[in-house]
Amino acid sequence: MNHANSLKFYVGGQWVDPLSSDRMGVENPATEEIVCEVALGGEADADRAVMAARAAFAGWTVRPVAERIAVLKRVLEVYNDRYEDFAQAMAVEMGAPIEWARGAQAWAGQVHIEATIKAAESFHWEEMRGTTKIIREGIGVCTLITPWNWPMNQIACKVAPALVAGCTMVLKPSEIAPLSGVLFAEVCDAAGVPPGVFNLINGTGPGVGARLTSHPEVDMVSFTGSTRAGTAVAAAAAPTVKRVAQELGGKSPNIILPTADLAAAVKAGVEGCFGNTGQSCDAPTRMFVHRDQHDRALVHAKEAADAVVIGDTQDVATTMGPLVSKMQFDKVQAMIQAGIDEGATLVAGGIGRPAGVNRGWYVRPTVFGNVTNDMVIAREEIFGPVLSIIPYDTVDEAVAAANDTPYGLAAYVAGPIAEARAVARRLRAGMVNLNYPAWDTFAPFGGYKQSGNGREYADWGIHDFCEVKGVVGWGE
């Protein structure tokens, strides 16, 4: 793909040269090769982008909703035209196997834009309550900071609702996986998004992110990333009382009820944990199985782990790619070693690269059994293909252990639907998945506790980018 704009920023409807001279190599984690360089901005770049968004806000936010939706529809059309470019970009920048890049990563951006369009067309932008008119309008200038693990999923989940709500924005994608973000800016430009409504700059969290989250002309920050970084974002935003929406870390439990189809539930749970090389904040990384079924569950889990196909990310048969960077590789290796040191049973995988692999940040799909909920591998977010299987004696015990975490992003339950529903009501998580359902882009996505605040997807995301105005006496 063409990387011509990787050394530029998109500000005020134009591709501009950065005011900073810093650059960073973009690595293909499957080969450890630098594929291109990306410009890294500084505070002056952040200021220029924010002021472009501020200048565009007054005109954009009063445009009729139908016109704003029409602009987003054009974005979707151009996105679809460049669908394969997005898949290839994410295959390169994050090492996603090409079939996963097409069927999950690029697809996620597409379906979230579609869901936002549908939600916006039926959204209650205005309503009467007695004689008071309730009006929902764009909150203002928004900073959007997105992660490297689901680049287009998160960009679409922020840009699309902000756009239709009447906000203007500055997007800072992850500098680790920036190519898909640059490509999305090209899409917005080709789709005719008015100048200044959408702006993109690349940079690091300390270099650009800190300025974008503290800038006095920014009204809202929408951030997806680690809980540690999220607390820094909230602190930076606090002095100017910005609205902050955060989707942060997770350590999601997966309770397999004694009455579930054990083999099917374990297989699906392993696949859910290992999807995206385990680099998903809502991955079901803690599998709870009844103690009487624990040893059989380990057999099923090993079979599922051994079925993973690791290889060339351009090979359609490959089902797992590398981790995104050496930093992630080293972290995951340390966590696997911690599990071994703590005495958990190593069922599959372990330390080191897979057999026959001598380059790229590939890890062995790893399963631990006989894990207790106080072990490091059960407490900390690993962000790699590492599953902890935890035995329980009663469902009450499983629910208590599932909730015994600082996180609350997602949870999973497998078993007869009536029993699963009853357990779901007791789990402290923003999204509970029963029997591994299909992805629902109209369900609210976001977390309890240290997994964040606010909700994304469809109308839930639109709400987060709106202020609510009550005009009292309208109907007198």
Side-chain angles (χ1 to χ4, degrees):
M1 61 175 292
N2 186 352
H3 303 303
N5 288 319
S6 67
L7 295 178
K8 294 181 179 291
F9 298 150
Y10 187 72
V11 178
Q14 296 181 322
W15 289 100
V16 300
D17 292 324
L19 301 174
S20 169
S21 60
D22 292 344
R23 295 182 177 184
M24 175 179 170
V26 178
E27 180 189 65
N28 181 339
T31 63
E32 300 177 49
E33 296 172 350
I34 301 300
V35 295
C36 69
E37 286 189 315
V38 64
L40 298 179
E43 287 195 3
D45 293 291
D47 291 346
R48 179 172 64 175
V50 168
M51 295 317 293
R54 173 55 65 195
F57 176 70
W60 176 246
T61 201
V62 297
R63 292 270 290 270
V65 174
E67 292 185 19
R68 302 199 299 260
I69 294 173
V71 170
L72 186 57
K73 286 181 175 179
R74 290 198 297 273
V75 170
L76 177 62
E77 290 174 7
V78 182
Y79 184 97
N80 289 339
D81 289 342
R82 302 201 63 182
Y83 192 95
E84 180 65 15
D85 292 338
F86 279 104
Q88 293 294 341
M90 288 179 282
V92 167
E93 68 188 358
M94 58 179 297
I98 188 60
E99 285 297 276
W100 180 261
R102 290 174 180 140
Q105 293 285 359
W107 171 86
Q110 178 190 65
V111 294
H112 281 301
I113 297 172
E114 289 173 347
T116 303
I117 290 168
K118 187 172 181 179
E121 289 175 333
S122 60
F123 192 77
H124 293 293
W125 297 100
E126 297 185 5
E127 61 183 284
M128 292 297 297
R129 293 197 178 183
T131 60
T132 296
K133 179 173 274 293
I134 309 298
I135 301 171
R136 292 175 178 85
E137 56 191 24
I139 194 169
V141 175
C142 300
T143 288
L144 313 177
I145 300 179
T146 56
W148 50 261
N149 63 320
W150 282 95
M152 288 317 304
N153 181 80
Q154 292 308 125
I155 288 174
C157 280
K158 298 183 191 304
V159 172
L163 197 72
V164 295
C167 298
T168 57
M169 67 212 73
V170 180
L171 170 66
K172 190 200 87 64
S174 169
E175 69 277 14
I176 297 173
L179 301 180
S180 53
V182 172
L183 187 55
F184 190 81
E186 293 177 1
V187 166
C188 289
D189 184 62
V193 175
V197 171
F198 171 88
N199 305 273
L200 174 138
I201 59 174
N202 281 306
T204 65
V208 167
R211 180 58 176 165
L212 288 175
T213 54
S214 63
H215 201 291
E217 289 292 337
V218 168
D219 302 294
M220 175 180 172
V221 180
S222 180
F223 172 83
T224 299
S226 70
T227 297
R228 176 192 56 78
T231 58
V233 167
T240 46
V241 199
K242 303 183 193 311
R243 183 177 304 176
V244 179
Q246 299 174 314
E247 193 261 284
L248 307 176
K251 192 68 180 175
S252 300
N254 179 11
I255 298 177
I256 297 179
L257 297 173
T259 46
D261 179 336
L262 184 68
V266 170
K267 179 177 183 289
V270 172
E271 292 172 351
C273 178
F274 288 174
N276 207 37
T277 318
Q279 299 171 129
S280 297
C281 46
D282 60 344
T285 54
R286 292 184 296 149
M287 180 182 289
F288 292 88
V289 298
H290 194 274
R291 195 173 302 277
D292 292 345
Q293 299 174 327
H294 175 267
D295 290 351
R296 280 188 289 141
L298 300 192
V299 174
H300 297 312
K302 185 179 189 312
E303 290 174 353
D306 290 345
V308 171
V309 179
I310 294 172
D312 181 354
T313 55
Q314 288 295 321
D315 187 337
V316 295
T318 297
T319 61
M320 182 180 288
L323 295 170
V324 78
S325 66
K326 183 179 187 300
M327 180 183 296
Q328 282 299 117
F329 178 88
D330 291 343
K331 176 190 173 186
V332 172
Q333 294 295 302
M335 294 301 291
I336 294 172
Q337 187 62 56
I340 295 170
D341 294 344
E342 287 180 309
T345 301
L346 183 63
V347 177
I351 294 295
R353 288 184 170 98
V357 176
N358 55 20
R359 69 169 183 167
W361 305 121
Y362 291 90
V363 297
R364 300 169 69 189
T366 298
V367 177
F368 284 105
N370 287 302
V371 177
T372 58
N373 210 42
D374 58 352
M375 290 182 180
V376 170
I377 55 173
R379 304 301 299 176
E380 296 189 18
E381 186 175 35
I382 299 173
F383 233 58
V386 181
L387 174 65
S388 297
I389 300 182
I390 304 170
Y392 67 84
D393 293 303
T394 67
V395 173
D396 286 347
E397 176 191 327
V399 170
N403 288 333
D404 180 18
T405 171
Y407 299 111
L409 184 59
Y412 301 74
V413 186
I417 191 63
E419 295 177 47
R421 287 170 179 164
V423 171
R425 290 185 179 276
R426 301 169 64 189
L427 294 172
R428 300 289 295 169
M431 176 180 283
V432 183
N433 300 274
L434 305 184
N435 295 314
Y436 311 104
W439 195 337
D440 184 355
T441 55
F442 290 87
F445 185 75
Y448 287 26
K449 299 184 281 187
Q450 291 183 30
S451 287
N453 50 62
R455 294 293 183 269
E456 295 185 317
Y457 294 12
D459 55 308
W460 304 98
I462 297 172
H463 275 290
D464 274 6
F465 286 97
C466 287
E467 282 286 18
V468 179
K469 177 185 291 180
V471 185
V472 182
W474 180 285
E476 292 289 354

